[in-house]
């Protein structure tokens, strides 16, 4: 099977970090054409710094890192330092990165790559600002996308940033709307799936005992960000939201869901960013996405451990 060509758009974030490491540990399956940092969990200069630190940690010096959007299309940026810490990647003591940032903007990189390379999959781990800008500035690229695989939205699990909205869908609701209406092939890993992959103490111990540098560093990262989820939801650890996207690409059978219509609320103050999922076909709106609601937690962690063990 040929490798899947992907661009990762991300706002690291500890769970973004695990997703990036999982992708970079899987070179036989994934050809990572570039990583674009976007403002989200923390402002852009920090997500960019964190993306560079993670590439250095992985030892993959062939990866190109780009700067994406500094702010959402219309909203004021809402960040999540209360979960991820002031740097967005609190916990591990990673050196300040010396890794270069490409000169081209992240949005231009996405446009140019889609225009010149066939079959590219976009993987989004943060707000959809860069993807929406690329689709708006260059509508010709939409039909060139193989699939957009997104950690985004929720249905039965409701919200984590507000009573009804998931963080990535909420932070740039206008961008979410553009992508959901784009007619690109969309796959969503929403809270309904990601809440089934919890980093329990036993799973954290496997990371600590991995025998390399990356495993224990990953455990320290997750420890630093799990308190919020444990307190709010009463779980034994934190859900690994963003790595579900990469795990889906590596082993789609770990997830299942339905072809449904998904729209997002862009106006209401009360429900901004809420994804409205027509699970029961109550409307005649056409399905526009595959919406995953089930995840095999054991299978997910086996895959994660097997791959992270390969890194330095
Ligand atoms: C999403 O929000 C961010 O805080 C996480 O990194 C993840 O992408 C979960 O709602
Ligand atoms: Ca994220």
């Amino acid at each position: 099977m040929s490798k899947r060509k992907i661009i990762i758009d991300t706002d690291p974030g500890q769970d973004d970090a695990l997703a990036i490491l999982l992708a970079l540990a899987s070179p036989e399956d994934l050809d990572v054409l570039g990583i674009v940092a976007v403002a989200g969990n923390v402002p852009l200069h920090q997500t960019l710094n964190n993306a560079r630190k993670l590439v250095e940690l992985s030892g993959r010096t062939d990866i190109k890192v780009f700067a994406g959007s500094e702010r959402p299309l219309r909203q004021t940026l809402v960040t999540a330092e209360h979960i991820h810490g002031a740097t967005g990647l609190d916990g591990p003591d990673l050196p300040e990165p010396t890794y270069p940032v490409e000169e081209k903007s992240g949005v231009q990189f996405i446009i140019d790559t889609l225009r010149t390379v066939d079959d590219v999959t976009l993987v989004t781990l943060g707000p959809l600002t860069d993807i929406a800008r690329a689709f708006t500035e260059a509508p010709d690229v939409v039909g060139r996308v193989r699939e957009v695989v997104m950690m985004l939205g929720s249905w039965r699990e409701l919200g984590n940033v507000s009573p009804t909205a998931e963080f990535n869908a909420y932070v740039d609701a206008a961008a979410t709307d553009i992508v959901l209406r784009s007619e690109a092939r969309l796959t969503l890993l929403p809270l309904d799936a990601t809440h089934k992959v919890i980093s329990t103490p036993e799973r954290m111990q496997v990371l600590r005992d991995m025998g390399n540098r990356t495993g224990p560093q990953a455990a320290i990262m997750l420890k630093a960000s799990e308190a919020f989820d444990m307190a709010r939801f009463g779980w034994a650890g934190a859900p690994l939201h963003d790595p579900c996207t990469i795990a889906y690409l590596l082993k789609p059978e770990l997830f299942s869901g339905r072809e449904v219509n998904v729209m997002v609320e862009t106006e209401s103050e009360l429900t901004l960013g809420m994804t409205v999922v027509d699970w029961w076909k109550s409307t005649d709106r056409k399905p526009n996405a595959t919406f995953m609601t089930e995840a095999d937690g054991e299978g997910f962690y086996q895959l994660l451990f097997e791959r992270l063990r390969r890194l330095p």
Side-chain angles (χ1 to χ4, degrees):
M1 244 180 58
S2 64
K3 291 192 207 186
R4 189 91 179 227
K5 289 170 272 188
I6 67 171
I7 294 175
I8 302 177
D9 192 280
T10 175
D11 62 339
Q14 290 87 350
D15 64 319
D16 301 70
L18 271 281
I20 292 169
L21 294 173
L22 179 59
L24 297 185
S26 306
E28 76 277 43
D29 297 301
L30 301 174
D31 183 3
V32 182
L33 303 178
I35 296 178
V36 180
V38 66
N41 283 324
V42 282
L44 179 64
H45 69 275
Q46 274 159 330
T47 59
L48 192 56
N49 227 33
N50 294 342
R52 295 160 67 216
K53 282 184 183 174
L54 291 162
V55 175
E56 282 183 6
L57 176 66
S58 76
R60 286 284 306 272
T61 51
D62 54 314
I63 303 294
K64 292 191 167 128
V65 176
F66 297 82
S69 305
E70 220 163 344
R71 62 184 65 84
L73 299 181
R74 298 206 297 255
Q75 291 162 239
T76 305
L77 178 66
V78 171
T79 51
E81 283 87 354
H82 59 294
I83 301 173
H84 302 277
T87 63
L89 201 58
D90 276 17
D93 192 16
L94 298 174
E96 272 312 299
T98 54
Y99 204 84
V101 178
E102 299 296 314
E103 254 175 49
K104 192 184 271 196
S105 78
V107 173
Q108 199 56 50
F109 166 68
I110 293 170
I111 294 172
D112 291 349
T113 307
L114 288 172
R115 279 184 176 152
T116 52
V117 183
D118 292 337
D119 272 340
V120 174
T121 295
L122 303 175
V123 180
T124 70
L125 315 178
L128 293 173
T129 319
D130 294 332
I131 312 303
R133 284 180 55 201
F135 284 6
T136 307
E137 286 169 31
D140 57 294
V141 302
V142 178
R144 305 252 323 141
V145 176
R146 171 164 171 184
E147 185 176 359
V148 191
V149 178
M150 309 182 267
M151 191 286 123
L152 188 90
S154 66
W155 173 44
R156 284 188 160 141
E157 290 294 295
L158 296 167
N160 57 1
V161 66
S162 80
T164 55
E166 181 280 322
F167 183 81
N168 293 339
Y170 172 89
V171 170
D172 196 341
T176 305
D177 189 49
I178 290 171
V179 176
L180 288 177
R181 291 177 190 275
S182 69
E183 302 205 341
R185 179 171 167 211
L186 308 177
T187 299
L188 272 71
L189 282 303
L191 297 183
D192 305 73
T194 70
H195 283 181
K196 294 179 175 127
V197 296
I198 305 291
S199 57
T200 59
E202 297 73 30
R203 288 166 174 163
M204 296 275 272
Q205 197 54 43
V206 178
L207 288 173
R208 281 187 207 104
D209 295 341
M210 206 163 252
N212 58 2
R213 185 162 53 110
T214 306
Q217 292 291 354
I220 294 170
M221 279 179 214
L222 295 180
K223 189 83 208 146
S225 63
E226 69 181 9
F228 173 85
D229 287 307
M230 291 169 80
R232 177 164 288 184
F233 300 102
W235 291 325
L240 286 195
H241 303 285
D242 293 335
C244 287
T245 56
I246 303 295
Y248 160 76
L249 291 174
L250 297 172
K251 262 194 156 189
E253 63 274 20
L254 293 175
F255 301 92
S256 61
R258 265 193 203 180
E259 304 289 311
V260 290
N261 183 274
V262 186
M263 296 274 102
V264 68
E265 174 57 49
T266 56
E267 302 298 336
S268 158
E269 235 179 79
L270 198 59
T271 58
L272 182 73
M274 178 180 184
T275 42
V276 177
V277 180
D278 189 3
W279 190 261
W280 304 114
K281 295 208 182 323
S282 324
T283 73
D284 56 8
R285 292 196 285 266
K286 269 198 339 214
N288 61 344
T290 306
F291 189 89
M292 300 300 188
T293 49
E294 300 304 320
D296 168 0
E298 265 320 296
F300 169 91
Y301 277 94
Q302 271 174 27
L303 173 70
L304 182 75
F305 297 149
E306 177 219 313
R307 297 295 163 105
L308 292 193
R309 215 167 258 129
R310 301 163 164 190
L311 291 176

